[in-house]
Amino acid sequence: MNKNSSNTMALAPNTSNKRETVCIFGTGDFGRALGHKMIQSGYPVVYGSRSTQASSLIPKDAEVLSHAEAAQKAAIIIIAIQRQHYNFLTPLAEILHGKVLVDVSNNLKINQYPDSNAEHLAELVPGAKVVKAFNTVSAWALQSGTLDASRQVFVCGNDTEAKQMVMDIVRALGLTPLDQGSLLAAQEIENYPLQLFPMWKFPILLSLGLTAFFFFYCLIRDVIYPYVYENKDFSFFIAISIPNRICPVLALILLALVYLPGVLAAIIQLYRGTKYRRFPDWLDKWMLCRKQLGLVALAFASLHVLYTLLIPIRSFVRWRISSQIISQAQNNKTEPLNTTNAWLSDSYLALGILGFFLFVLLGITSLPSVSNNVNWREFRFVQSKLGYLTLVLCTAHTLVYGGKWFLSPSSYRWYLPHAYMLSLIVPCIVLVVKFVLIFPCLDKPLTRIRQGWERNPQYSE
Ligand code: NAP
């Protein structure tokens, strides 16, 4: 019955075009910005404030009354006041009975209070219908009209009709309401604006740590070692040569780290013989930030491409080529073309180009606008099959680049191998284990486990 009537209301054309008055408690930054936007969208706005004196800051078409007077003029009251001042609402409980109270508040810290602000409000005014909304939109964004950060407004509440009324206002303001369910979701919604790139923390910290490690590693091998043993000053390597070693090394390691948790998860499932036991927390968290790890890896790969394009115009490189030519001329001896080297160099470049192309393709398909338009199978094909192919190509690119130096003692300085040799460890482990997992004797039970089969069922029928 209720549902039908609300549907009819939604479908019926609004002949009068008149919107219902909205009351806003609080004439602070957010109350004013929201009021301004509402007036622009055709809503009559009345403010409930401790001071009813006119102020040039308040939108001029809005009325300013006492809290009690303002509340009587509207069915929806937006509480644009900090949580710590909510106590003033208790004496107004009778007037607020049956009204829709919209809690827009945020906190200063994640999980600052044991209960959410919206639940606290519902407790203070038990007769009101509390809805949480608008807390992820900033006063500045509302006022400037740019709303660049996000047009999404998370809405939750226990009363469906009240929630619907608030969602209609959200739509009328040109925003997108996202129904998050009951008031139990309020705490999570209140935490959203306080989060700072939660999924990016681990990838960024890891890449910063690895960058610092490989920077000092290359500094020791490529700058300090030649200085100590050959008295050569290669300190200018810090500008391009060392970054161009670190970038491909990190791109490859991080790409391999995108696929390593999947391989570990498969081993754990095979060992346990069931998929119905939770993975360790660290593995769960690692799996959740694989996209971010991949995007950081792509950023390093792109920098490697840029640095590599610069190589021909580097003064050091031009000096080295010309001195080789001069030495050939002085010795009156032309070095013949080494076809093996030519093959290696061309294959290395070709593998790099193909690997980078697929890397970019993976990055593009991880964009929400693209991933929203492919089905699960297509997404899995790109991210898993093409992802592994990218890893194979990039690993092969690195192997071909330095394969001939692996056994050469001169490439170990102070017993330290080339940085690219270290970069091959994780990708090679991932590829070898993945290759083993493809064998039918492992792949078949794994597929069955992932379809729900258990080696030792916990609950027998
Ligand atoms: P504000 O500028 O400090 O304004 C708060 C308003 O609350 C004051 O202007 C005042 O209005 C009223 N107030 C203060 N002390 C009071 C008391 N003891 N009793 C009753 N009313 C009192 O804060 P704001 O930035 O507008 O934020 C208001 C709410 O919106 C907060 O809960 C905040 O978390 C939330 N929010 C803000 C933003 C933002 O970008 N600013 C974004 C999302 C959500 P009167 O003088 O008219 O009484």
Side-chain angles (χ1 to χ4, degrees):
M1 173 71 193
N2 227 348
K3 202 176 166 201
N4 278 349
S5 67
S6 71
N7 281 348
T8 325
M9 270 174 69
L11 290 170
N14 187 353
T15 43
S16 67
N17 249 350
K18 183 142 173 44
R19 298 201 192 268
E20 281 208 30
T21 302
V22 176
C23 170
I24 301 176
F25 277 5
T27 57
D29 294 340
F30 194 74
R32 290 197 312 270
L34 191 61
H36 184 72
K37 186 89 184 154
M38 285 190 163
I39 290 170
Q40 277 182 345
S41 310
Y43 285 96
V45 170
V46 55
Y47 281 99
S49 173
R50 292 168 302 169
S51 155
T52 53
Q53 274 176 356
S55 151
S56 59
L57 291 172
I58 294 170
K60 66 175 181 340
D61 293 319
E63 245 185 304
V64 186
L65 302 171
S66 69
H67 292 118
E69 285 171 321
Q72 275 158 355
K73 293 212 167 195
I76 299 183
I77 300 162
I78 294 166
I79 315 290
I81 293 170
Q82 319 281 357
R83 169 184 171 138
Q84 60 269 32
H85 304 310
Y86 280 1
N87 283 343
F88 85 97
L89 293 166
T90 320
L92 299 172
E94 210 172 304
I95 299 171
L96 299 177
H97 190 89
K99 306 267 181 188
V100 178
L101 300 189
V102 186
D103 183 293
V104 301
S105 63
N106 284 318
N107 294 319
L108 295 176
K109 279 191 272 171
I110 288 184
N111 296 331
Q112 187 173 349
Y113 301 99
D115 57 346
S116 67
N117 299 346
E119 287 166 308
H120 175 61
L121 180 62
E123 226 170 83
L124 286 176
V125 194
K129 301 163 190 169
V130 174
V131 175
K132 180 90 207 173
F134 290 114
N135 68 310
T136 50
V137 185
S138 78
W140 178 82
L142 279 171
Q143 205 143 25
S144 65
T146 48
L147 287 168
D148 284 340
S150 173
R151 293 188 162 267
Q152 294 179 338
V153 174
F154 300 99
V155 184
C156 74
N158 294 339
D159 188 294
T160 316
E161 217 172 311
K163 203 161 53 173
Q164 200 55 52
M165 285 163 78
V166 175
M167 298 216 286
D168 287 344
I169 295 181
V170 173
R171 268 185 224 105
L173 301 189
L175 305 168
T176 314
L178 287 181
D179 190 345
Q180 300 289 291
S182 77
L183 220 50
L184 288 174
Q187 187 131 34
E188 200 179 322
I189 297 178
E190 283 166 16
N191 285 338
Y192 286 155
L194 297 170
Q195 287 170 345
L196 186 69
F197 303 118
M199 293 296 163
W200 287 92
K201 216 181 267 172
F202 172 64
I204 301 274
L205 286 178
L206 180 71
S207 40
L208 283 179
L210 286 173
T211 304
F213 170 78
F214 279 108
F215 176 78
F216 288 113
Y217 190 88
C218 294
L219 196 70
I220 292 169
R221 264 189 51 93
D222 301 330
V223 178
I224 299 176
Y225 181 91
Y227 186 76
V228 171
Y229 282 94
E230 297 157 25
N231 203 19
K232 282 183 182 162
D233 179 10
F234 285 146
S235 53
F236 62 90
F237 274 8
I238 291 173
I240 292 187
S241 299
I242 292 184
N244 200 23
R245 278 204 223 293
I246 297 173
C247 288
V249 162
L250 257 76
L252 188 59
I253 294 179
L254 293 177
L255 181 64
L257 290 179
V258 171
Y259 293 96
L260 184 58
V263 164
L264 291 178
I267 294 173
I268 291 176
Q269 286 179 333
L270 273 173
Y271 173 73
R272 290 176 174 171
T274 177
K275 70 165 186 177
Y276 296 116
R277 272 172 60 197
R278 273 180 56 99
F279 291 127
D281 264 2
W282 56 267
L283 188 56
D284 261 346
K285 285 188 187 141
W286 188 353
M287 292 222 248
L288 284 176
C289 65
R290 282 182 293 181
K291 173 176 153 179
Q292 287 73 10
L293 269 175
L295 289 175
V296 178
L298 176 57
F300 279 112
S302 309
L303 278 175
H304 172 50
V305 170
L306 286 179
Y307 278 124
T308 306
L309 290 175
L310 279 181
I311 287 177
I313 59 166
R314 289 182 66 201
S315 137
F316 171 67
V317 174
R318 280 189 284 135
W319 168 82
R320 211 170 52 184
I321 294 172
S322 54
S323 57
Q324 276 169 357
I325 296 169
I326 291 166
S327 109
Q328 284 185 41
Q330 281 172 342
N331 298 332
N332 200 14
K333 196 174 142 211
T334 313
E335 274 182 22
L337 173 71
N338 183 333
T339 30
T340 316
N341 274 352
W343 257 110
L344 280 174
S345 133
D346 280 7
S347 323
Y348 146 72
L349 290 173
L351 287 164
I353 292 169
L354 285 174
F356 184 66
F357 172 75
L358 289 185
F359 218 144
V360 173
L361 203 68
L362 284 178
I364 293 173
T365 50
S366 73
L367 295 173
S369 53
V370 179
S371 57
N372 288 347
N373 284 310
V374 293
N375 65 29
W376 176 236
R377 194 162 174 211
E378 289 161 346
F379 184 78
R380 257 184 64 91
F381 172 77
V382 174
Q383 292 300 328
S384 176
K385 303 276 187 307
L386 287 190
Y388 271 108
L389 185 58
T390 312
L391 186 59
V392 168
L393 288 172
C394 293
T395 309
H397 167 70
T398 315
L399 274 169
V400 175
Y401 165 75
K404 60 182 176 187
W405 292 323
F406 264 120
L407 299 174
S408 151
S410 68
S411 61
Y412 294 84
R413 296 176 175 173
W414 281 325
Y415 301 104
L416 300 175
H418 248 295
Y420 78 88
M421 292 186 193
L422 299 185
S423 77
L424 284 166
I425 298 172
V426 188
C428 287
I429 292 175
V430 172
L431 290 176
V432 168
V433 178
K434 181 70 188 169
F435 180 70
V436 173
L437 287 171
I438 293 173
F439 282 101
C441 57
L442 293 174
D443 185 49
K444 272 190 187 158
L446 187 61
T447 310
R448 285 182 69 199
I449 288 169
R450 288 184 173 166
Q451 283 167 349
W453 173 82
E454 286 186 283
R455 199 182 301 126
N456 303 309
Q458 226 178 330
Y459 308 102
S460 38
E461 287 167 29

